[in-house]
Amino acid sequence: MENIFSYSRDLHEYIISEAYHPYLRRYLNEPVIEEQKLLLLILILNELNIPEEDRKQYITATLLVQAALDVHNDVTSPDGHAENDALKLRQLTVLAGDYYSGLYYSLLAETENNDLIRLLSEGIMDVNEKKIIFYEQHYSDLASLLDAVKVIEAALIVKLEECFTVPRYRNFIENFLLLERLKKERQAFIEKGDAPFYQALSGLLFSEKLASLAEEQIESLKQQAETIMQEVQALCIEELHQQELKGSSVAGFYAGRLAEEPVILTSNGEEG
């Protein structure tokens, strides 16, 4: 395969073009296609004996349904618009999610891969169940909280791998995408003073909402989040050194990058 980053950019542009609808684009941003999920899908499917065009369609379909699930998270976010404008924006957001879902089904129907349709449908159901647990805070401990985030972030890619081969990347996929999500949550917390994961962690540690915490509690919360990220990163590196992953394209691509990318924050809020 050509340079993976070049291929990834081309495929990203293709997915965006597939998702294009002139009316939706007038009011909404283009769907977010996460680079790390795209790279993971490329690396995993590149190891399998799948025709290029089918591989392209599988990746596109998976990331379109991921975009549909993600965009529905924004349905209740008016973002300061007037009431009528906010209602229209929410309706269009729902419509966009449904449109991406329709494209996903259409693409997979063309491949006639009923097993993948079934498995991704299971993944969609798993994601939605865990979203309820995560956002409604229906978890009893840190392990169940992290499990919910893992499924939300990784279920579709895990199901796709399961469709084509004996899964060997599942643990890495889940932990790596958990780590990526936690980094985004941390950035949101730094910029806005609020993020769903930090709200959840606040409830677990202090039985309080984030806004009610004293300064020393916030510092303790931040340190706990940093510790969790370091532990998850260590699990990712450990997984890549497992015997069954040695020599794989995924291990070759991520092992050095993870080892050279510390997740702890310096005092000025930068990774270092």
Side-chain angles (χ1 to χ4, degrees):
M1 181 182 287
E2 61 192 283
N3 178 277
I4 187 171
F5 293 107
S6 175
Y7 182 77
S8 173
R9 286 192 297 271
D10 291 344
L11 191 48
H12 182 277
E13 291 176 5
Y14 172 76
I15 296 169
I16 294 299
S17 69
E18 285 290 294
Y20 178 78
H21 188 286
Y23 183 72
L24 291 176
R25 194 59 56 82
R26 283 175 58 191
Y27 298 97
L28 301 174
N29 295 326
E30 65 185 28
V32 175
I33 306 300
E34 295 183 51
E35 181 184 17
Q36 293 299 344
K37 291 179 180 177
L38 177 54
L39 288 170
L40 265 176
L41 286 166
I42 292 170
L43 288 164
I44 291 169
L45 290 185
N46 192 46
E47 294 184 354
L48 307 176
N49 187 26
I50 299 173
E52 165 62 22
E53 189 58 33
D54 286 346
R55 187 164 61 231
K56 182 178 179 181
Q57 295 297 78
Y58 295 149
I59 293 173
T60 300
T62 302
L63 292 179
L64 281 174
V65 77
Q66 182 71 66
L69 290 167
D70 292 344
V71 79
H72 281 152
N73 291 342
D74 299 327
V75 169
T76 58
S77 302
D79 292 329
H81 292 265
E83 185 175 346
N84 288 340
D85 289 342
L87 176 60
K88 181 176 182 177
L89 184 61
R90 290 196 293 272
Q91 291 171 335
L92 287 171
T93 302
V94 172
L95 179 62
D98 293 343
Y99 177 64
Y100 302 150
S101 294
L103 290 173
Y104 142 76
Y105 282 113
S106 176
L107 286 169
L108 287 188
E110 291 176 10
T111 68
E112 299 182 346
N113 191 326
N114 293 326
D115 287 338
L116 183 56
I117 294 173
R118 174 180 57 81
L119 285 166
L120 286 179
S121 296
E122 291 175 3
I124 292 167
M125 182 172 64
D126 292 343
V127 169
N128 286 327
E129 288 177 351
K130 294 299 185 180
K131 279 186 175 181
I132 294 172
I133 290 172
F134 180 56
Y135 288 105
E136 298 298 325
Q137 300 187 6
H138 294 163
Y139 39 77
S140 57
D141 53 29
L142 180 60
S144 58
L145 168 60
L146 295 179
D147 176 70
V149 180
K150 284 181 182 180
V151 173
I152 290 168
E153 294 299 315
L156 297 183
I157 297 179
V158 166
K159 290 293 185 181
L160 184 137
E161 185 198 16
E162 182 182 333
C163 180
F164 295 107
T165 184
V166 176
R168 60 174 180 162
Y169 291 121
R170 176 172 185 154
N171 289 338
F172 174 75
I173 293 168
E174 290 182 338
N175 284 316
F176 177 72
L177 292 179
L178 169 63
L179 179 63
E180 290 298 302
R181 173 63 182 266
L182 293 181
K183 288 180 180 178
K184 293 174 187 173
E185 293 281 317
R186 178 177 63 187
Q187 191 60 36
F189 180 68
I190 291 171
E191 293 175 358
K192 303 176 183 177
D194 192 13
F197 179 76
Y198 284 75
Q199 285 284 5
L201 201 55
S202 176
L204 283 176
L205 294 177
F206 305 111
S207 300
E208 294 279 355
K209 291 186 177 180
L210 197 54
S212 302
L213 297 186
E215 185 174 342
E216 62 270 17
Q217 291 175 310
I218 291 176
E219 288 303 313
S220 176
L221 178 76
K222 289 161 62 177
Q223 184 56 54
Q224 180 65 31
E226 295 299 309
T227 299
I228 292 168
M229 279 186 273
Q230 291 176 65
E231 291 174 350
V232 173
Q233 184 183 48
L235 287 174
C236 290
I237 295 171
E238 179 182 340
E239 188 66 28
L240 291 176
H241 286 86
Q242 296 296 315
Q243 185 63 39
E244 62 269 22
L245 296 191
K246 285 185 177 179
S248 71
S249 61
V250 171
F253 185 81
Y254 284 109
R257 287 171 170 81
L258 282 167
E260 295 169 3
E261 187 180 277
V263 296
I264 193 168
L265 286 186
T266 62
S267 59
N268 62 0
E270 298 179 349
E271 289 184 14

